[in-house]
Amino acid sequence: MRLHKGYAALTIALLAIELVIAFFLNDPIIRPYVGDALAVVLVYAGLRAVSWLSVVSATLIAFAIAVVIEFSQYFRLLKAIGLDRNDVARMILGSGFDPKDFVAYTSGAVAVLLVEHYRRASRAAAGTHTVSPSSDSSSTI
């Protein structure tokens, strides 16, 4: 296990943004769609902060988690386990299935892949190498 400080800071920042969206926004675009796209980025950043997963692996896992959560809404998992009235569970796992959310999750995953691709390309153009275990800003836990 590792702790990558850059991804950890990004995870904390994204969590703060998600909390602001959840508590203070009730609009038809940002809360349901931007929030869902950012949720995939948040999980990705969290995975990269504490693991050696590759960009693609972490992105696919983050996307898969979002999809599983969305399908749990379709099958009303929270109601089945008695948490449908728990505000925290509803905030984290959502409360209603919406097939349009898959577009938001896909957008978040694509954004991650594009940003990481351009980060690596800019490093290569600058003459620096991609992050290796010995040169990144992480510490082993």
Side-chain angles (χ1 to χ4, degrees):
M1 187 176 214
R2 74 168 180 169
L3 178 62
H4 187 284
K5 294 174 186 171
Y7 285 113
L10 178 61
T11 301
I12 293 166
L14 288 170
L15 180 59
I17 291 167
E18 287 282 36
L19 290 172
V20 167
I21 290 171
F23 286 118
F24 300 111
L25 291 178
N26 194 14
D27 71 312
I29 302 293
I30 294 174
R31 184 170 183 168
Y33 303 113
V34 174
D36 285 351
L38 284 178
V40 171
V41 181
L42 168 65
V43 173
Y44 166 82
L47 288 169
R48 294 280 289 172
V50 298
S51 75
W52 292 104
L53 289 169
S54 70
V55 168
V56 172
S57 295
T59 303
L60 290 174
I61 291 169
F63 179 78
I65 289 169
V67 168
V68 166
I69 290 171
E70 192 66 31
F71 278 117
S72 77
Q73 294 169 10
Y74 178 80
F75 292 108
R76 300 179 185 194
L77 177 66
L78 289 181
K79 184 171 180 136
I81 61 175
L83 291 175
D84 57 320
R85 295 183 185 200
N86 182 304
D87 290 337
V88 174
R90 288 171 47 96
M91 187 183 319
I92 294 170
L93 298 175
S95 58
F97 176 78
D98 185 350
K100 291 181 272 186
D101 289 348
F102 294 112
V103 174
Y105 303 143
T106 302
S107 298
V110 168
V112 164
L113 294 173
L114 287 172
V115 167
E116 291 290 12
H117 170 78
Y118 287 111
R119 280 184 64 224
R120 288 175 188 228
S122 68
R123 281 187 189 157
T128 60
H129 295 70
T130 58
V131 175
S132 67
S134 62
S135 67
D136 70 359
S137 61
S138 66
S139 59
T140 304
I141 295 176

